[in-house]
Amino acid sequence: MTPAALLALLALPAAAAGLTPASLDFGVRAEEIGARCESAVRAADGALKALASLPAAARTFANTPRALDDIRWDLSDSRAVDVFLKYVAVSSAARAAANDCETRLEQFSVDVTSREELFAAVSSYAARREPLGEEEDRRLLEK
């Protein structure tokens, strides 16, 4: 399948995710993939540290459980193109770098779930037992 045909198949879901044909560079260099992946992980880690450092009295649903969820999804979404390249990049080095990026993102995700400071942040907010209007918000907090 040609890259153009693949893009045609992906057009609707890709457009909904903010991906455009211009954002898919099938000839990307492996170093670029690795650098973008590490940069995104560092940015997410910084956002998580900021979230954890909020004083307990300043915690809200939006800046604690919702923010934690958003940070994780934003990281995943921001690197979706690079991870996708593991299947379609022209060079084997780029495919390997994309695979390494996916592995790095998965490990970071696992590490996030075991960070005590994040557990403490969400727990301190949850202990307030504030009423949440949306079912989705209640389910997110229960997780």
Side-chain angles (χ1 to χ4, degrees), residues 7-133:
L7 284 175
L9 282 173
L10 297 173
L12 291 176
L19 304 177
T20 65
S23 65
L24 288 172
D25 178 5
F26 293 98
V28 67
R29 292 185 0 252
E31 299 80 24
E32 294 173 67
I33 294 170
R36 288 191 305 238
C37 190
E38 282 306 312
S39 176
V41 168
R42 279 193 306 275
D45 188 53
L48 292 170
K49 287 177 180 173
L51 182 157
S53 70
L54 284 172
R59 295 199 181 286
T60 64
F61 181 82
N63 71 19
T64 303
R66 170 63 62 204
L68 175 60
D69 192 54
D70 288 347
I71 292 165
R72 294 178 71 193
W73 278 110
D74 289 348
L75 174 61
S76 177
D77 290 348
S78 75
R79 299 295 24 107
V81 169
D82 287 333
V83 171
F84 177 69
L85 288 171
K86 128 181 183 176
Y87 302 102
V88 298
V90 174
S91 95
S92 60
R95 289 190 306 273
N99 185 64
D100 291 346
C101 180
E102 181 178 48
T103 301
R104 175 73 170 107
L105 295 174
E106 289 169 351
Q107 184 59 55
F108 183 77
S109 182
V110 168
D111 293 346
V112 165
T113 63
S114 63
R115 287 172 68 163
E116 291 180 27
E117 75 276 17
L118 296 174
F119 178 78
V122 174
S123 294
S124 73
Y125 169 77
R128 293 183 187 175
R129 300 197 184 285
E130 292 180 347
L132 298 172

